[in-house]
Amino acid sequence: ALDRLRSLQREILARYAPLVKPGGKMAYVTCSPLPSGGEGQTRWFLEGPGRDWTLEREERLGPPRQDTDCFYVAVLARRGSSGA
């Protein structure tokens, strides 16, 4: 099941990232407590289909720092100008 979910996460990143205009930003957020579902997916994206993107910020939230479920957040910026 984990392999299927990782494949789905990659498909979502690769399919929807081109919809962001140059100079725009995208947040990748997952509730996976596993690095392979968070940091690993971000690295895969930046080294593969997201070579024109940069990582602005990433953070893992949840126990023990916060009283909540585990979350991973990455803010990615697409290189280039928006022309605005």
Side-chain angles (χ1 to χ4, degrees), residues 13-84:
L13 278 167
R15 180 178 288 178
Y16 293 102
L19 300 176
V20 178
K21 66 183 179 180
K25 295 183 182 183
M26 170 175 71
Y28 172 65
V29 183
T30 182
C31 59
S32 172
L34 303 173
S36 63
E39 296 88 346
Q41 296 291 32
T42 300
R43 301 294 172 262
W44 169 85
F45 177 73
L46 293 171
E47 294 170 1
R51 287 191 182 109
D52 61 336
W53 290 78
T54 58
L55 177 63
E56 283 198 349
R57 191 180 106 222
E58 69 181 338
E59 188 171 355
R60 185 163 285 283
L61 305 168
R65 294 186 297 158
Q66 293 89 13
D67 185 24
T68 183
D69 292 335
C70 290
F71 292 94
Y72 169 79
V73 180
V75 177
L76 303 155
R78 190 167 183 190
R79 291 187 188 105
S81 68
S82 62

